[in-house]
């Protein structure tokens, strides 16, 4: 590669990133324009462009969007939100917790943007009925959607990208990330209740208004719901087993989408319209932009510099990845950041002769997904909720949201840091524990034998 192509690749990448952050033009347009320049300049020849794109990520996103697009027509998400509020018996703090946990669980298995799109309008209705400020509930739902999405392979786009670029499967994410995510969710909701407890006190007569909602009436098509839940169950089972079946997650998602379209006999136009095509083409553009940096050697250069900064220490490098990801993702879109970091981490592994990169992948996932909670522009779900609120006359200001969410984000990263340090040291801790236990057992055996010999 010539110096001209190196400078051009870096310039186009930085310029595209600036346009994405500034929101002067749509991020999909910015990514696509940058990708066009990369191909026209010959950095990535047109005939090799398709090979740079991660089609597993694209297929997985499209498949899950179709499934969610069909399922959302049943009204099941609205039903869950109202039912959770009624189980909380109209107590505002309990409603906040219920909606937060429903959002987190649903976001772990479905697109978190779709989750908030469906739950937030119901939240406004509940807040209006109880004469409450909806802001505490919206903040809880934004944060919970990003926390819950971190727990699984399909919960958040960064995880989809990491899983597709590695051999990590659905159960790898659940086993390694779900424990700390459950802890973070519980701590976050507890802190939110402390922050908003004075704003969420209402008399008993207003609490009882929650029973005026008819949760069952929200289910618009029970037959469609049964079919959707059946297919969704099969898809999740497929994700659990895809490593053993030797099938890509893309194949599971697209097969599930095809099955759902067949058994519902739905007009494909509506489900296909539910696919967020701007997001899909945004990903395609990003893959080409990052592929250009890889082709000209910039990724390799950055990897070497990162290893030098941490002296090649695995734990130090992992912590750098996590905190850099968290702080960057709070202010910039975490999707292009993760797209850049994936080849960077792979190159760091090659240069540092590190065979197992799992520690780095978990650090990247936790940092990028949880970091998005830091500001109102940190993740797609945040921006969507802010847009819905603004249409209803409620402005979620950048500073107002950040005052609450940024400290909570830091708490989640501190917990994640402790978890990952324990995760990395666990084999050593177990080895020491086993050695000490063996030594104690041996000592007791010798002591017992000695006493028996004395008794004789």
């Amino acid at each position: 590669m010539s110096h001209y192509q190196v400078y051009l690749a870096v310039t186009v990448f930085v310029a595209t990133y600036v346009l994405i952050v500034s929101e002067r033009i749509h991020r999909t347009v910015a990514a696509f324009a940058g990708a066009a320049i990369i191909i026209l300049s010959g950095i990535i020849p047109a005939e090799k462009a398709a090979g740079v794109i991660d089609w597993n990520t694209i297929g997985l996103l499209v498949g899950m969007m179709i499934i969610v697009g069909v399922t959302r027509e049943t009204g099941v998400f609205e039903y869950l939100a109202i039912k959770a509020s009624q189980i909380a018996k109209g107590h505002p703090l309990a409603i906040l917790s219920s909606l937060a946990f429903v959002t987190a669980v649903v976001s772990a298995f479905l697109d978190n943007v779709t989750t908030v799109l469906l739950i937030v309008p119901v939240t406004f209705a509940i807040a209006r009925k109880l004469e409450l400020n909806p802001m505490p509930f919206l903040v809880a739902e934004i944060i919970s959607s990003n926390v819950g999405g971190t727990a699984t392979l399909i919960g958040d786009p960064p995880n989809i990208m990491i899983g597709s670029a590695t051999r990590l499967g659905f159960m790898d994410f659940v086993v390694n990330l779900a424990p700390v995510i459950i802890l973070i969710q519980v701590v976050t909701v507890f802190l939110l209740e402390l922050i908003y407890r004075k704003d969420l006190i209402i008399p008993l007569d207003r609490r009882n208004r929650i029973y005026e909602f008819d949760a069952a009436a929200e289910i618009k098509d029970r037959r469609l719901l049964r079919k959707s839940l059946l297919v969704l169950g099969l898809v999740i089972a497929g994700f659990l087993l895809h490593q053993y079946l030797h099938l890509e997650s893309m194949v599971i998602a697209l097969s599930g989408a095809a099955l759902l379209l067949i058994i519902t006999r739905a007009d494909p136009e509506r489900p296909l319209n539910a696919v967020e095509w701007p997001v899909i083409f945004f990903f395609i553009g990003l893959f080409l932009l990052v592929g250009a940096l890889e082709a000209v050697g910039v990724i390799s250069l950055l990897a070497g510099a990162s290893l030098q900064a941490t002296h090649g220490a695995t734990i130090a490098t992992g912590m750098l990845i996590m905190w850099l990801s968290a702080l960057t993702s709070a202010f910039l879109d975490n999707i292009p950041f993760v797209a850049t970091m994936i080849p960077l981490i792979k190159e760091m592994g090659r240069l540092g002769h590190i065979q197992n990169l799992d520690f780095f992948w978990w650090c990247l996932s936790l940092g990028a997904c949880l970091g998005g909670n830091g500001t109102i522009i940190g993740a797609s779900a945040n921006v969507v909720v802010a847009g819905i609120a603004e249409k209803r006359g409620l402005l979620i200001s950048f500073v107002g949201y950040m005052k609450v969410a940024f400290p909570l984000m830091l708490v989640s990263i501190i917990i994640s840091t402790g978890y990952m340090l324990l995760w990395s040291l666990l084999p050593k801790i177990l080895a020491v524990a086993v050695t000490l236990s063996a030594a104690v057992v041996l000592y007791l055996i010798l002591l017992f034998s000695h006493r028996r010999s004395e008794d004789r």
Side-chain angles (χ1 to χ4, degrees), residues 4 62 105 262 290 337 341 375 377 392 396:
Y4 162 75
V62 170
V105 172
I262 290 168
V290 175
F337 178 80
M341 287 298 294
T375 69
I377 62 169
R392 286 168 168 75
I396 303 179

Side-chain angles (χ1 to χ4, degrees), residues 371-427:
N373 277 326
T375 69
I376 200 64
I377 62 169
S380 301
N382 311 21
V383 178
V384 167
V385 174
I388 297 172
E390 193 171 353
K391 287 179 182 176
R392 286 168 168 75
L394 177 67
L395 177 65
I396 303 179
S397 69
F398 186 93
V399 174
Y401 175 84
M402 188 175 172
K403 282 180 180 177
V404 175
F406 198 84
L408 291 176
M409 183 274 286
L410 292 179
V411 169
S412 71
I413 298 300
I414 290 169
I415 293 172
S416 298
T417 300
Y419 174 77
M420 288 310 300
L421 288 174
L422 182 64
W423 187 91
S424 65
L425 295 173
L426 193 57

